[in-house]
Amino acid sequence: MSYQVLARKWRPRSFREMVGQTHVLKALINALDSQRLHHAYLFTGTRGVGKTTIARIIAKCLNCETGVSSTPCGVCSICKEIDEGRFIDLIEVDAASRTKVEDTRELLDNVQYAPSRGRFKVYLIDEVHMLSSHSFNALLKTLEEPPPHVKFLLATTDPQKLPVTILSRCLQFSLKNMPPERVVEHLTHVLGVEQVPFEEDALWLLGRAADGSMRDAMSLTDQAIAFGEGKVLAADVRAMLGTLDHGQVYGVLQALLEGDARGLIEAVRHLAEQGPDWAGVLAEILNVLHRVAIAQALPDAVDNGQGDRDRVLALAQALPAEDVQFYYQMGLIGRRDLPLAPDPRSGFEMVLLRMLAFRPADNGQPPRGALKPLGISPATTDSRPNPVAAAPSSAAVMPTPAPVAEAPPVVAAVVAEPLQVAPASVKTVAIVPPAPIVTAVATPVSAPVAAVDLPWNEPAAVVAEPEVVPVATQPLPVAEAVVTPAAAVSAAEAAADEDEEGAPEYDYEMADDSAYAYMDTLPDEPEVQVDIVAPAALPATGLAAQWLEMFAQLGLSGLTGSIAANCSLMAVEGDNWLLHLDPAQGALFNASQQRRINDALNQLQGRSINLDIQLCKPEQETPAQAAARKRGERQAQAEASIHADPLIQQMQQQFAAVIRAESIVPVDGVAA
């Protein structure tokens, strides 16, 4: 006798043998027992969840020799024929291979005939969504009002492709995916009856790999039995599926918990020996962290879908909640950036090392466990103060120096011109141009040092400057280095410190005009070239005004319209007309353009006109100039309207708003 695969051998033959789908079975059982039968049923769901199986059981319930009920006998000739797939009144149609409308019509031609043996003629159409639109149209009327001896059972994995007219004529039942717990429970029963040794971890691997399909789970179990030589072992199933050892994921999380960088890298090395999908490994870690977070919030809600509920609960006790959330978020970002890494393994390692390096601290203290040493020399630091690093930023708050008795005010100038840094032993005076300056004043004992008044801050109170005392003339260095506001703050602090130590006061002298001679050597800024628009021509009068009116009626466009718009009518002597064309448009003018303008004039005037166009600067306004003038007037009117708006004026006063004239566009239809 030939071998029969588990998926066919263990196919349910009654509702009692069905695994899962309780919500569907309850409705069908009640309908069969109460004889409230619909003429068309539609079963939807993913592959291997029992759509065709339920349809065959319904056909058995309807035609069993013992009567219509939800519990067919299973021993009569009709039940056996249905189980063996040779019952003549059960017509199974594969819609994927019979999509044409001719096939559907041939099928429906036999609907009117009574069943041969059973009570009902049952049409089981599998993958019904593959039918063509014409086939659906041919099926509609029969599906809605079939003969009383006909039942339609439709099955599909993609109900979205079914027309709404089909859906409205059927009772629809959506079958759910099989959870791993239900799959493992059923496989345990099957392998026990088949007397096949197995490991529970192997069944959990098969249950997860089935992805909700019981048929896939049975097929994978067949393959695992063959792979393991009659046994279903976890190691064999893992090698067959090429899946990751789930225990290694917990090894990675344990290394993170202990702050063990060496153990973390070692765990990655063991993972690399299996050649895993690193994005999948990261997804497994995120899945475990998700279940750990659920265990911390509600321990009773943790499922045993992967057979590791106890390990999840133990990890939830060891990991703080903030660490779990941080690791999860870091893993999500790392999974997104993994394709950008030089290679997947290095990207995976960097995600784990980032989790380790930035793990949350407790109440501002260092992490709970110190990171284990890796044998890498720690970076050394220079104990000498860094003057650049010591300079506070312009946004930092100035520290208040200690009080100094009888300390005269010291003024530090902050300028935009460069200054040269001189040795400490040389007393220098910075020569600055007469530019806007900002001063920081060191006040006497009773007041702290005032903050630097930056140009973008509110104006500070006016402070009386000390009297400038001239000093002996001596060579002064030219300023070269730029002093930022932050450097000015440092200078003010240094001056205050020197006053505290009793350092001699520095004298200042006013610079004469010769000190600014170097500014004459600076390159001049390039002048902005502004196109000067020629003044408009004189207002159009007489013939020129008539041409403005005629141009709008000519209906010219394109290049010809541009030529006519830059002309002005100068003379009319009977049928002889003279136009002056702006010479700037002469490159575009030719005999063809003149002929088109002449034809348009002939059509407008209703007679033949001899048109002469000469290149001469029109003295009066042309249609193009008139249009430009009107656009300018509309623009000026729009800008005036914006400037006069009370709301905009309020915004200018309160928020220093600036009106950009180039962004103002007049609305079409506004009169000039």
Side-chain angles (χ1 to χ4, degrees), residues 65-321:
E65 294 179 358
T66 60
V68 178
S69 67
S70 61
T71 56
C73 66
V75 296
C76 65
S77 59
I78 293 180
C79 291
K80 289 182 178 180
E81 290 177 5
I82 292 177
D83 290 338
E84 296 171 0
R86 54 185 180 87
F87 183 55
I88 191 173
D89 290 329
L90 175 60
I91 300 97
E92 294 194 24
V93 180
D94 181 17
S97 60
R98 303 187 64 180
T99 61
K100 297 181 180 179
V101 65
E102 292 82 3
D103 300 329
T104 304
R105 288 172 180 170
E106 180 183 354
L107 184 69
L108 297 178
D109 286 342
N110 298 322
V111 169
Q112 57 185 336
Y113 300 112
S116 300
R117 293 194 55 200
R119 299 184 187 86
F120 296 94
K121 182 181 290 187
V122 180
Y123 286 88
L124 173 54
I125 305 178
D126 203 3
E127 300 300 333
V128 68
H129 67 274
M130 298 294 291
L131 292 178
S132 64
S133 58
H134 296 291
S135 298
F136 281 125
N137 293 333
L139 185 64
L140 281 178
K141 191 62 179 177
T142 305
L143 187 64
E144 182 178 8
E145 297 179 357
H149 59 268
V150 174
K151 301 294 182 183
F152 284 96
L153 305 178
L154 312 181
T156 179
T157 57
D158 196 356
Q160 288 78 13
K161 293 184 179 180
L162 294 180
V164 66
T165 52
I166 294 292
L167 296 175
S168 64
R169 287 166 168 82
C170 302
L171 289 184
Q172 183 174 350
F173 295 94
S174 298
L175 278 68
K176 301 177 181 178
N177 287 0
M178 296 292 178
E181 295 90 345
R182 187 64 54 82
V183 174
V184 171
E185 179 183 351
H186 186 61
L187 290 181
T188 302
H189 170 70
V190 170
L191 294 179
V193 176
E194 294 288 335
Q195 297 181 355
V196 176
F198 64 90
E199 292 180 352
E200 186 177 357
D201 291 344
L203 299 187
W204 282 107
L205 290 173
L206 294 173
R208 290 194 297 271
D211 194 20
S213 172
M214 186 63 75
R215 183 176 60 231
D216 289 2
M218 302 296 285
S219 300
L220 289 173
T221 304
D222 255 328
Q223 183 180 355
I225 294 174
F227 188 89
E229 299 179 355
K231 300 179 181 179
V232 181
L233 304 178
D236 293 338
V237 173
R238 191 174 294 112
M240 180 189 75
L241 299 176
T243 55
L244 175 69
D245 184 3
H246 211 61
Q248 293 182 335
V249 173
Y250 287 97
V252 171
L253 293 176
Q254 187 65 28
L256 283 175
L257 175 63
E258 298 175 356
D260 186 2
R262 187 178 300 278
L264 201 62
I265 299 300
E266 190 69 16
V268 174
R269 186 181 64 81
H270 286 299
L271 284 171
E273 294 176 355
Q274 304 179 13
D277 175 19
W278 296 104
V281 176
L282 199 53
E284 285 292 329
I285 294 177
L286 293 176
N287 184 30
V288 173
L289 290 173
H290 165 250
R291 300 178 66 225
V292 169
I294 292 179
Q296 291 176 341
L298 190 62
D300 296 338
V302 179
D303 58 68
N304 197 28
Q306 299 183 5
D308 57 351
R309 186 174 187 274
D310 295 336
R311 303 183 72 171
V312 169
L313 294 176
L315 199 57
Q317 295 291 333
L319 269 176

Side-chain angles (χ1 to χ4, degrees), residues 524-536:
D524 297 334
E525 295 184 358
E527 297 182 357
V528 179
Q529 299 294 334
V530 181
D531 295 335
I532 301 177
V533 181

Side-chain angles (χ1 to χ4, degrees), residues 580-600:
H580 281 180
L581 173 64
D582 190 348
Q585 306 292 328
L588 307 177
F589 177 68
N590 52 37
S592 177
Q593 307 295 342
Q594 180 173 343
R595 184 178 67 255
R596 295 174 183 173
I597 297 175
N598 200 346
D599 293 342

Side-chain angles (χ1 to χ4, degrees), residues 37-73:
L37 301 176
H38 201 269
H39 57 269
Y41 294 88
L42 173 63
F43 301 102
T44 64
T46 187
R47 75 277 177 274
V49 294
K51 300 184 296 296
T52 306
T53 299
I54 291 179
R56 290 180 179 177
I57 296 175
I58 291 177
K60 191 186 301 184
C61 294
L62 294 174
N63 292 283
C64 181
E65 294 179 358
T66 60
V68 178
S69 67
S70 61
T71 56
C73 66

Side-chain angles (χ1 to χ4, degrees), residues 147 175 178 407 414 431 543 604 662:
L175 278 68
M178 296 292 178
V414 179
I431 305 302
L543 294 176
L604 178 64
E662 65 275 8

